[in-house]
Amino acid sequence: MNSPIYILGTGLSHNGSVVLLKDGRVCVGIEKERLSRVKHDGGNDTLAIQYCLDAEGIELKDITLVVQCANFEIPGRDRFRGERIFAGTETPKIVDISHHLAHAYSAVGTSPFSECAVMVIDGCGSPLHQFLQLHPDQKKDVPQSVLNKNQMICEKDSFYHFDGKQLTPLLKDFSEMTKFGTQQFSLPTSLHSIGGFYAVISQYVFGDLDDVGKLMGLAPFGNSGVFEFEAFEFESGRLFVKEDWKYKFTNPSQGYEYFKEHFDYYANVARWAQEQVEKAVIACITNRLEQFPHENLCYSGGVALNAVANAKLEDSKIVKNIYFEPAAGDNGLALGCAFYGWIEYLKMPKIQHDGNTCFGKKYTAKDIDAVFQKEEYKKYNPKIFDSEDELLQYCAEKLNEGKTIGWFQSGSEFGPRSLGRRSILAHPGIKNMKDHINRDIKFREDFRPFAPAVIKDKVGEYFMTGRNSPYMILVDKTRPEYSKELINVTHKDGSARVQTVEESWNPRFAKLIAEFYKQSGIAVLLNTSLNKKGMPIVETPQEAVHLFEITALDVLVIENYVVER
């Protein structure tokens, strides 16, 4: 019997991650922050690589190829922000690829398409000099006007074609970097990128870059038309950020209390920025597809996490089929690195992905027992359910009573959204539940929304478009007749970031919602990530128990183990 071919992909930018392919399929993957417990952690990858090796039960010598990607440098074999696991070894071979190529392959490898166009839009990719060092054959694809620039310039959007065997760049755009610190709208991103624009507005509104996704959550509280000027313009097929709007915003946030005092103003700014991003994304992708038509489109890069813009893009019908990569941010770079190694470097056929995005390792009863045997956790004395049906009935009853549940099942999700493996769950319609979870469990701003997780074949009953959205990366509108039943998962403007639950790769979560539906008559649960503000999503049983201890969660379920206050 032939030995398996293992390819390891590693992303060493912020939001670092590692993914392991076995014969072309993902067998394990993890974001570094889940292990180090430092939000958006990146740099050295030894911790995440060791996790993947241990989870698969192999050693470094079993790896056929490593493919890596870092934004502004090419990491050394022995050291990168500390000693690496490859130090002192000559095998496996390490190959480097550029930032946008990794984003693109993360979408290609997990998409349902055998052939497609690929769009990558983010805040800042590889610098031009590094890109050309890694891919000298692509110099011909870079406009001469870009090659002539003296200052540092970086990738900002890229458009490719995948023919089933290889990814070919069709159009790449670069932008000079912002001169950091020269004015209030200066951040270390490319000057003319959509992602860079969204980041600087987030900085202006919140005073920090803790979570640019907050801007999307704030936007529905604002009004359209308050600011009647444009942030972007197209010139000769290239997207640019204009300068004149920057002088119209002169009241940057001075902290959370100041933000709350001027809430309406900042909500209006967020609404304007969100609408500008939506228009820019559609304009940019429309331009590329007009030049290079294709009925299938993969979309990745940090901007592809904007669920509102994604829904507008899908509804625009400018392309027949769109696949939105669930780990579209830099946490997906490792995924793209691994698939590049399999498809392009080793010239192996693409293996159809099953749609699952939960790549973490499973924890055993022995692992869970060990946590509850610790002196500080002996007080909990968990109940262990032998029957899955009884466990689900119990959990559904608690949810229907208005209890909140910390839900820990199987391998963790890869990417920024909790999809029913590491989740906080609650009733979608009990009054004030949303405020309670934000205030007493998540410890975050009260305007932040929660997502509805719905049985897939019921989505059209509760939501207007009824679109398939398994990765919580698209919004829909709650049907008015269900606004009361879904009050905790419907945003101020009637929108909802829906998750359609797939029983094929999320069976226990699907069964729980079905049982809740049987008891409550509602086929929807409130679903949010199992963490609190500033904390990475829980990875281990011990972290789950710790979160239960420091928050107001009512029930914690770890596999078949249940503790209740």
Side-chain angles (χ1 to χ4, degrees):
M1 182 180 291
N2 293 330
S3 298
I5 297 174
Y6 285 107
I7 297 178
L8 189 143
T10 175
L12 296 106
S13 299
H14 69 102
N15 294 325
S17 60
V18 171
V19 167
L20 192 62
L21 297 190
K22 179 182 181 180
D23 293 333
R25 290 186 172 89
V26 179
C27 58
V28 62
I30 194 70
E31 294 164 64
K32 184 183 176 184
E33 69 166 25
R34 307 289 180 91
L35 307 176
S36 69
R37 310 309 297 161
V38 177
K39 285 280 281 184
H40 309 302
D41 202 5
N44 187 275
D45 53 1
T46 295
L47 185 65
I49 291 174
Q50 193 62 58
Y51 171 98
C52 291
L53 296 177
D54 291 346
E56 183 61 13
I58 62 173
E59 299 177 17
L60 194 60
K61 64 180 176 61
D62 299 310
I63 302 295
T64 302
L65 177 71
V66 175
V67 182
Q68 65 182 12
C69 174
N71 236 23
F72 294 103
E73 53 199 308
I74 298 175
R77 183 183 192 91
D78 292 343
R79 298 191 65 80
F80 186 77
R81 312 285 192 270
E83 186 173 272
R84 299 184 74 188
I85 199 169
F86 311 110
T89 67
E90 295 182 1
T91 57
K93 181 179 177 63
I94 299 178
V95 174
D96 293 273
I97 64 172
S98 58
H99 192 90
H100 278 197
L101 188 60
H103 273 312
Y105 262 108
S106 74
V108 164
T110 56
S111 84
F113 309 134
S114 58
E115 186 180 338
C116 57
V118 185
M119 186 82 213
V120 176
I121 305 177
D122 64 4
C124 181
S126 293
L128 177 61
H129 70 276
Q130 180 186 323
F131 170 80
L132 292 176
Q133 182 181 350
L134 295 173
H135 312 294
D137 57 309
Q138 294 183 29
K139 185 175 182 178
K140 65 184 187 307
D141 302 313
V142 181
Q144 192 61 45
S145 59
V146 172
L147 294 172
N148 289 341
K149 290 185 179 293
N150 293 321
Q151 68 267 53
M152 179 183 280
I153 56 176
C154 295
E155 297 171 305
K156 71 180 183 71
D157 62 78
S158 299
F159 195 71
Y160 304 84
H161 176 255
F162 179 66
D163 65 2
K165 296 181 179 179
Q166 189 172 16
L167 198 66
T168 302
L170 300 175
L171 199 158
K172 291 184 66 68
D173 201 3
F174 292 79
S175 167
E176 58 267 34
M177 295 290 286
T178 304
K179 294 178 181 177
F180 184 53
T182 57
Q183 50 145 307
Q184 68 180 9
F185 293 108
S186 296
L187 287 174
T189 64
S190 50
L191 182 60
H192 294 294
S193 69
I194 299 174
F197 165 78
Y198 210 68
V200 297
I201 296 296
S202 179
Q203 173 78 18
Y204 178 83
V205 168
F206 299 115
D208 64 63
L209 289 174
D210 180 47
D211 184 0
V212 293
K214 288 193 295 187
L215 205 61
M216 187 174 64
L218 177 62
F221 291 89
N223 296 312
S224 297
V226 175
F227 307 109
E228 296 182 335
F229 40 83
E230 299 297 313
F232 298 94
E233 61 184 349
F234 254 98
E235 290 183 12
S236 303
R238 299 183 65 201
L239 184 72
F240 294 92
V241 177
K242 300 174 72 173
E243 284 291 319
D244 53 358
W245 63 267
K246 298 178 181 179
Y247 305 105
K248 314 229 174 149
F249 294 126
T250 58
N251 187 25
S253 177
Q254 299 174 26
Y256 187 52
E257 292 304 317
Y258 190 85
F259 165 83
K260 288 193 293 184
E261 185 181 342
H262 300 85
F263 182 84
D264 290 345
Y265 168 73
Y266 291 118
N268 289 334
V269 173
R271 181 63 172 258
W272 172 81
Q274 175 63 34
E275 290 174 349
Q276 294 296 305
V277 164
E278 292 162 13
K279 288 192 289 186
V281 165
I282 290 173
C284 194
I285 294 177
T286 299
N287 177 276
R288 304 320 187 228
L289 285 169
E290 285 175 347
Q291 296 180 68
F292 307 100
H294 204 288
E295 67 176 13
N296 300 326
L297 176 70
C298 288
Y299 180 29
S300 190
V303 176
L305 291 173
N306 192 305
V308 180
N310 290 350
K312 294 279 180 70
L313 177 62
E314 189 171 86
D315 292 343
S316 72
K317 306 297 184 185
I318 61 174
V319 65
K320 184 178 178 181
N321 306 304
I322 308 180
Y323 171 70
F324 300 93
E325 211 280 85
D330 281 9
N331 43 21
L333 294 176
L335 198 57
C337 286
F339 280 118
Y340 171 91
W342 176 259
I343 297 170
E344 187 149 333
Y345 193 86
L346 295 185
K347 307 298 182 187
M348 302 296 280
K350 175 186 168 179
I351 308 296
Q352 189 67 30
H353 186 61
D354 63 3
N356 186 11
T357 64
C358 301
F359 305 146
K361 72 177 185 181
K362 297 177 175 64
Y363 292 88
T364 65
K366 183 178 179 182
D367 296 326
I368 302 167
D369 282 332
V371 176
F372 288 112
Q373 287 167 12
K374 288 179 178 287
E375 195 61 41
E376 62 267 38
Y377 299 137
K378 282 183 178 178
K379 59 189 175 185
Y380 289 120
N381 191 27
K383 179 179 180 180
I384 304 173
F385 285 80
D386 295 323
S387 162
E388 182 179 67
D389 288 344
E390 290 180 8
L391 172 68
L392 297 175
Q393 287 170 15
Y394 168 88
C395 291
E397 286 172 9
K398 294 300 176 183
L399 291 164
N400 203 26
E401 291 169 6
K403 302 292 187 183
T404 54
I405 292 182
W407 179 255
F408 181 113
Q409 298 292 327
S410 194
S412 59
E413 304 90 339
F414 187 88
R417 320 288 193 210
S418 279
L419 302 174
R421 300 293 185 92
R422 301 289 187 275
S423 291
I424 293 169
L425 306 175
H427 196 296
I430 291 178
K431 190 176 180 181
N432 298 323
M433 180 64 75
K434 171 181 174 288
D435 293 337
H436 165 58
I437 296 173
N438 269 331
R439 182 184 62 244
D440 304 321
I441 298 174
K442 301 288 282 189
F443 304 110
R444 67 182 195 177
E445 301 87 350
D446 57 6
F447 66 83
R448 303 278 293 276
F450 295 112
V454 59
I455 295 173
K456 184 178 179 180
D457 62 6
K458 292 285 185 182
V459 63
E461 179 180 334
Y462 294 95
F463 303 99
M464 298 291 287
T465 306
R467 67 176 100 243
N468 187 39
S469 178
Y471 309 120
M472 213 185 287
I473 204 167
L474 292 160
V475 298
D476 208 329
K477 290 280 187 178
T478 299
R479 291 188 180 276
E481 60 267 34
Y482 287 104
S483 58
K484 185 176 180 182
E485 287 91 339
L486 304 184
I487 190 171
N488 295 309
V489 294
T490 301
H491 215 5
K492 182 175 169 56
D493 61 352
S495 65
R497 194 177 68 198
V498 177
Q499 177 197 358
T500 49
V501 179
E502 304 273 353
E503 188 167 0
S504 62
W505 55 267
N506 226 344
R508 183 169 277 193
F509 191 39
K511 290 175 187 175
L512 175 62
I513 301 174
E515 179 61 33
F516 180 75
Y517 176 46
K518 186 192 299 184
Q519 295 189 25
S520 69
I522 304 172
V524 180
L525 281 176
L526 179 155
N527 179 17
T528 187
S529 53
L530 189 58
N531 63 345
K532 67 182 185 70
K533 183 182 178 184
M535 170 192 285
I537 296 172
V538 159
E539 166 60 23
T540 68
Q542 180 164 328
E543 289 154 11
V545 177
H546 172 68
L547 185 70
F548 178 73
E549 188 160 65
I550 63 174
T551 67
L553 277 168
D554 297 306
V555 180
L556 176 64
V557 181
I558 306 178
E559 302 295 351
N560 296 337
Y561 291 65
V562 177
V563 292
E564 185 176 1
R565 294 194 195 281

